[in-house]
């Protein structure tokens, strides 16, 4: 069985993330979405909320599993016999950082990283920008799935 992982914080998941996950799901038998736990950062959504949202918006793919992780991504991969990490690249600046990570991950355990160019429609998109625009009342409905938009609007009304 061919397995890959798409890692990230997904706070929240965007259409750009979904594009990469969907493309990976067509190339691999099983795709893990690994939601990173960073205890030093307070996210807008709790880890369990992110996982639930990702499961909801990826349910149509059928071969996507969603789990959280903390620590080294290569350990997550080793524990699940995942030989490949799939990462989306938006710009050259992404490549500079991601190449270093890919080389380190490969050097540690032999896990390969595959870079997928982001759909130009989403080349500017990040979770941080979505949150910032939404906090100021901007329309982000074309940047996130409807379920995420609902959760985002509800959370921002509570703040």
């Amino acid at each position: 069985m061919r397995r890959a992982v798409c890692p990230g914080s997904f706070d929240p998941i965007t259409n750009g993330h979904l594009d990469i996950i969907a493309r990976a799901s067509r190339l691999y038998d099983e795709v893990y979405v690994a939601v990173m736990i960073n205890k030093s950062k307070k996210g807008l959504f709790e880890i369990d909320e992110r996982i639930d949202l990702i499961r909801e918006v990826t349910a149509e793919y059928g071969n996507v599993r969603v789990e959280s992780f903390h620590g080294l991504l290569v350990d997550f991969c080793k524990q699940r016999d995942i030989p490949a990490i799939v990462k989306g690249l938006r710009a050259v600046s992404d490549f500079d950082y991601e190449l270093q990570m890919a080389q380190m991950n490969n050097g540690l355990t032999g896990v390969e990283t595959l870079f997928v160019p982001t759909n130009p429609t989403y080349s500017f998109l990040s979770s941080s920008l979505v949150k910032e625009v939404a906090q100021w009342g901007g329309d982000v409905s074309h940047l996130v799935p409807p379920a995420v938009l609902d959760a985002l609007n509800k959370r921002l009304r509570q703040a």
Side-chain angles (χ1 to χ4, degrees), residues 4-7 19-20 23-24 27-28 73 84-106 111-119:
V5 61
C6 294
D19 177 58
I20 299 300
R23 290 158 68 188
L27 297 171
Y28 290 93
L73 179 60
I85 299 167
V86 176
K87 297 290 290 200
L89 294 178
R90 295 172 293 192
V92 173
S93 57
D94 285 350
F95 180 75
D96 289 340
Y97 172 76
E98 294 297 348
L99 179 62
Q100 290 177 15
M101 293 298 295
Q103 290 170 332
M104 178 61 78
N105 289 337
N106 186 266
V111 172
E112 295 289 349
T113 300
L114 299 160
F115 297 121
V116 178
T118 302
N119 179 323

Side-chain angles (χ1 to χ4, degrees), residues 21-32:
I21 294 166
R23 290 158 68 188
S25 77
R26 292 191 295 270
L27 297 171
Y28 290 93
D29 299 317
E30 195 168 44
V31 174
Y32 284 77

Side-chain angles (χ1 to χ4, degrees), residues 114-154:
L114 299 160
F115 297 121
V116 178
T118 302
N119 179 323
T121 304
Y122 308 121
S123 63
F124 64 92
L125 187 52
S126 73
S127 295
S128 298
L129 282 175
V130 165
K131 289 184 286 192
E132 186 172 345
V133 170
Q135 285 172 336
W136 290 103
D139 179 12
V140 296
S141 61
H142 60 294
L143 304 176
V144 295
V148 174
L149 181 65
D150 290 345
L152 187 60
N153 286 335
K154 181 188 267 185

Side-chain angles (χ1 to χ4, degrees), residues 41-42 47 53-54 59 61 66 69 72 77 83 102 104 154:
K41 265 189 168 179
K42 174 68 176 135
I47 296 298
L53 284 170
I54 296 166
Y61 305 128
V66 186
F69 82 99
L72 296 176
C77 292
M104 178 61 78
K154 181 188 267 185

